[in-house]
Amino acid sequence: MKEAGTYDQALAAYLSAKRLGGHDADLWLSIGHLHTLRGDQPAAIAAYAESIRLHAAEDGQRRAPPGVELNYSYWLAQEIPGPAEYHQMAAIAAGFAFVPRFSFVVPTYDTPNTLLRACLDSLLAQTYPHFEICVADDASSDPLVASTLADYARRDARVKIVLRAENGHICAASNSALELATGDFIVLVDHDDIIPDHALFVVAHYLNRHPDAQILFSDEDKIDLRGTRSAPYFKGQFNRLLMYGHNMVSHLGVYRRSLVEQVGGFREGLEGSQDYDLFLRCYEQSGFAPPVHIPHILYHWRIAPGSTALSADEKSYAAQAAQQALNQHFARTGVRLRSIEGPGDGGSRLYPCGHFDMRASIIVVASGTDGNARACLDAILAMEDERIEVIVATDRTTDARVRAELAGWAGDGRLRIRSVPGGNVAERRNRAAADADGTVLGFIDDRFIMSATDWPDRVFALLTIPGIGAIGGRVLSSERKVEHFGLVLGQGEDGIAACQHRGLDAEDAGYFGRARLIQQFGALDGGCLFTTRAAFYQVGGFDPRLVAFDDVDFCLKLRARAFAVVGDPRIRMVDCSVPLADPPVDLSTSAAIAKAAEFLRSRWKRTAFQDPYFSPNLSLDGHVLAYAVPPRRAPPWSPLPPGYVSLEDCVAPSAR
């Protein structure tokens, strides 16, 4: 209480200064901070919005004050439209070449009246007028639900209701609501959630950019009973492998109605993950056309007891239904994976299914550190898997030592040592690959010790999925901290790429489980990378002109040919090297890395370093996950910022 009183006194002083004529942006910023500390989010957002406006008026550009990157209320203040933005929306909508009509599909059951009204009011408040609301009540025991729905239907013809005589659970109720729909697109909304008033405008705007889209999805956050918003899920573009870990599409989910009808609507028996199952079947029916991602928050999940927004534990049956939906999808599509319960709220873990009659050649480039090659190879060869051969690439400085270290494996036909005089790591990898027999090529740093035992089948299973070109693993330090797991393009000191999860504890699920879920990345670390021989030679292997970032370049070449690069956290390795407490600065190495970064930037268009799988609403600065202030994308109602490039251009990079 003492702290609350102090905040109140400080706020009163700031507000007094404002009344006396204070129009300083920093004053409003401080007022926003105090409202945040007092838990008054609407007042905080209003103060931050005024601070942003004054900052822009002072220097003509949006700039982020120190420390706001972790403040969601500040981030929201720069996104909420005002009168000028609403006017701009109306002008843009008037020029739409395609005017889609939307059908909200809302199943209800014993919904608290205040939440039901809030939901319906948010739908009716849409600035885009071409919609209908299709509600099916699943025989609620509370008569107030039916009377409330009838009241809304009497007041607005766009509200269409059906009152089911018997309770059939959410799938049956959703199908009853679907039968009322006549729009071009179905918009799924839960009965206690809300959406912003500009949501349909933004969806229509994206449909005018992508008129053939079958499925669209947006970012989302959570909202409590007081209206405070939190926990935004800022998504990247559609990530098929991440979708197998959790339902990244979820809300706001928009489906072409004809597509939903083709698959027969919702399937009973999948309650709890019925939207997950619907997406997977619609995805198949569309010919695996990638859904269009809308990088704006267009959905607010209600945090209330019994809601999956509160915790996956509130509806444990949802996780079981998700696994069932995924495993049936894998069976239908021939993907040799199996889903079981995984990390994070509602996450799924994937395991390979069946035996893989494939052969892998593991290429290890020997470094100058004593003992590393032996420990690395012991972990691989001790598995006694005849599908695996190992080629160690040495040079003049390491050949004799490595041969002595590996004397214990002499005579093992699975091991070969290839001496490559001179040349950098990329060149030695390429020459060793030329000698390899495997249909799969694996490149492993000799500092890394494989701790997983099922990695061959995991690699084989993933590389048999059409369109996947490379697989990366997850490397932990001896202190069980994440060192490598995929690369985010545009991060790092050189702005090329870095590991977003670096430094996390091994058991930390990270942002929405993504530190421990299989997923596509913009690039992979070359110290633990697997690819097919065909894909390797299709893109020309590693570029020996690059003394650094040759792995990033290799992945960009794969993605330019429409191959996905995937990180699998269950392919686990441990870094056995001992880091120096105060490593010496090698100026020649630093200069070589800077030169390699410049070479890479000159080779690839700058869109190549705008990672499609990393949200433009998240900051590229550092490894701590923070909000991008301002975001690296513009709202549909705002002028495009200088140098803006549409994220749609970043899926498949292209060279200059």
Side-chain angles (χ1 to χ4, degrees):
M1 292 299 295
K2 181 179 178 181
E3 289 184 357
T6 302
Y7 294 146
D8 289 343
Q9 292 171 13
L11 180 58
Y14 279 116
L15 293 176
S16 176
K18 178 178 74 72
R19 284 192 296 271
L20 292 173
H23 297 290
D24 182 77
D26 292 334
L27 171 65
W28 282 102
L29 181 67
S30 298
I31 292 173
H33 289 339
L34 286 168
H35 280 306
T36 298
L37 291 170
R38 294 174 76 243
D40 188 345
Q41 190 182 61
I45 290 172
Y48 287 140
E50 182 65 10
S51 174
I52 292 168
R53 186 187 70 80
L54 291 171
H55 271 303
E58 289 170 5
D59 57 19
Q61 58 182 323
R62 298 167 68 184
R63 57 189 176 91
V68 299
E69 294 84 0
L70 301 177
N71 186 330
Y72 187 45
S73 294
Y74 186 93
W75 189 91
L76 287 173
Q78 62 186 350
E79 289 291 297
I80 295 177
E85 286 76 23
Y86 283 113
H87 179 76
Q88 184 70 12
M89 282 187 232
I92 293 172
F96 282 161
F98 176 34
V99 183
R101 189 164 180 266
F102 298 99
S103 297
F104 289 111
V105 169
V106 186
T108 63
Y109 178 74
D110 280 351
T111 317
N113 194 252
T114 55
L115 300 185
L116 177 59
R117 288 182 177 274
C119 174
L120 295 174
D121 288 344
S122 77
L123 304 184
L124 288 170
Q126 293 302 299
T127 60
Y128 182 86
H130 307 292
F131 67 89
E132 62 184 3
I133 303 172
C134 305
V135 186
D137 182 63
D138 199 21
S140 289
S141 59
D142 182 356
L144 189 56
V145 176
S147 63
T148 298
L149 294 176
D151 177 54
Y152 273 83
R154 279 192 302 269
R155 290 191 284 116
D156 196 311
R158 294 174 298 179
V159 180
K160 303 160 68 174
I161 65 172
V162 59
L163 305 178
R164 292 172 50 83
E166 295 182 358
N167 179 270
H169 217 311
I170 192 169
C171 291
S174 297
N175 284 332
S176 294
L178 275 173
E179 291 176 0
L180 301 174
T182 60
D184 303 303
F185 288 87
I186 300 297
V187 183
L188 304 181
V189 177
D190 289 342
H191 61 167
D192 53 358
D193 297 337
I194 62 175
I195 65 174
D197 61 6
H198 56 276
L200 286 188
F201 163 77
V202 178
V203 176
H205 176 86
Y206 271 77
L207 277 169
N208 273 267
R209 294 168 61 184
H210 306 277
D212 295 328
Q214 300 294 304
I215 305 171
L216 302 92
F217 68 103
S218 76
D219 294 351
E220 60 198 69
D221 66 7
K222 296 181 175 63
I223 189 168
D224 65 16
L225 296 176
R226 297 176 56 213
T228 300
R229 292 168 56 184
S230 62
Y233 185 6
F234 290 129
K235 309 167 187 177
Q237 291 189 29
F238 179 68
N239 190 322
R240 178 180 177 182
L241 273 294
L242 180 61
M243 187 72 192
Y244 292 161
H246 67 200
N247 185 0
M248 69 165 295
V249 169
S250 192
H251 295 302
L252 186 68
V254 181
Y255 296 76
R256 196 173 289 271
R257 181 167 64 90
S258 58
L259 180 65
V260 175
E261 291 174 346
Q262 288 169 23
V263 301
F266 294 92
R267 283 200 302 163
E268 295 186 37
L270 276 296
E271 286 80 7
S273 284
Q274 70 283 343
D275 52 348
Y276 205 170
D277 175 67
L278 177 69
F279 168 78
L280 291 169
R281 289 182 293 117
C282 285
Y283 181 47
E284 297 166 26
Q285 183 67 28
S286 72
F288 302 97
V292 173
H293 173 231
I294 303 173
H296 305 280
I297 289 187
L298 303 183
Y299 197 91
H300 312 310
W301 277 38
R302 184 73 69 177
I303 302 175
S307 169
T308 51
L310 185 64
S311 171
D313 294 335
E314 294 281 357
K315 291 183 179 176
S316 59
Y317 68 89
Q320 298 174 7
Q323 292 160 31
Q324 181 181 349
L326 282 166
N327 287 327
Q328 291 176 357
H329 166 75
F330 294 149
R332 290 191 302 268
T333 58
V335 173
R336 298 174 68 179
L337 295 172
R338 178 172 55 89
S339 172
I340 66 169
E341 185 176 354
D345 286 348
S348 296
R349 183 175 293 147
L350 303 180
Y351 277 88
C353 238
H355 177 75
F356 298 87
D357 187 17
M358 301 171 71
R359 183 169 173 81
S361 299
I362 306 303
I363 294 165
V364 179
V365 176
S367 67
T369 306
D370 290 348
N372 280 357
R374 175 61 186 267
C376 174
L377 268 66
D378 281 352
I380 299 172
L381 295 175
M383 292 176 56
E384 298 183 354
D385 190 329
E386 294 300 324
R387 298 173 299 172
I388 307 300
E389 70 164 358
V390 179
I391 302 173
V392 182
T394 64
D395 61 12
R396 292 190 184 93
T397 63
T398 59
D399 188 69
R401 175 182 56 77
V402 167
R403 290 181 185 276
E405 284 180 17
L406 302 182
W409 291 105
D412 191 314
R414 296 173 298 160
L415 172 65
R416 286 184 280 158
I417 299 176
R418 173 79 158 86
S419 180
V420 183
N424 56 24
V425 171
E427 187 171 355
R428 280 185 275 170
R429 284 173 174 164
N430 288 343
R431 292 195 184 183
D435 287 348
D437 296 329
T439 54
V440 170
L441 303 177
F443 301 92
I444 296 179
D445 192 310
D446 71 347
R447 296 175 299 128
F448 300 159
I449 299 175
M450 188 70 75
S451 60
T453 56
D454 64 343
W455 65 266
D457 283 334
R458 300 191 70 85
V459 169
F460 295 151
L462 290 169
L463 287 177
T464 58
I465 298 176
I468 293 183
I471 308 298
R474 186 169 183 252
V475 181
L476 304 178
S477 69
S478 56
E479 291 79 27
R480 291 189 57 75
K481 302 285 187 182
V482 176
E483 285 195 0
H484 303 288
F485 180 47
L487 295 174
V488 173
L489 298 171
Q491 283 196 333
E493 294 181 5
D494 296 283
I496 299 297
C499 175
Q500 177 63 48
H501 308 292
R502 189 177 180 86
L504 286 182
D505 289 334
E507 303 305 316
D508 191 331
Y511 186 63
F512 285 86
R514 293 186 63 160
R516 295 182 61 196
L517 290 175
I518 189 169
Q519 63 202 274
Q520 291 158 245
F521 285 101
L524 302 170
D525 187 279
C528 179
L529 185 150
F530 303 85
T531 185
T532 64
R533 168 186 288 277
F536 183 81
Y537 284 108
Q538 188 174 341
V539 301
F542 296 99
D543 191 331
R545 292 173 293 179
L546 287 165
V547 298
F549 309 122
D550 55 307
D551 45 6
V552 175
D553 179 69
F554 177 73
C555 290
L556 289 175
K557 290 190 294 185
L558 284 173
R559 289 183 43 236
R561 292 179 177 260
F563 286 112
V565 297
V566 175
D568 181 355
R570 303 293 294 177
I571 300 175
R572 299 183 305 272
M573 308 189 80
V574 177
D575 187 345
C576 65
S577 64
V578 179
L580 298 175
D582 187 18
V585 177
D586 188 334
L587 296 179
S588 62
T589 300
S590 298
I593 291 174
K595 184 177 180 181
E598 184 58 35
F599 178 86
L600 210 60
R601 280 189 287 267
S602 68
R603 163 175 283 182
W604 296 96
K605 294 179 180 178
R606 60 191 177 94
T607 55
F609 300 102
Q610 296 188 17
D611 197 314
Y613 306 114
F614 189 74
S615 172
N617 297 312
L618 295 174
S619 174
L620 289 171
D621 298 330
H623 298 293
V624 177
L625 207 62
Y627 308 126
V629 182
R632 296 181 305 282
R633 55 99 184 108
W637 57 80
S638 295
L640 298 181
Y644 176 78
V645 178
S646 171
L647 283 178
E648 282 81 1
D649 297 332
C650 305
V651 177
S654 58
R656 290 184 183 274

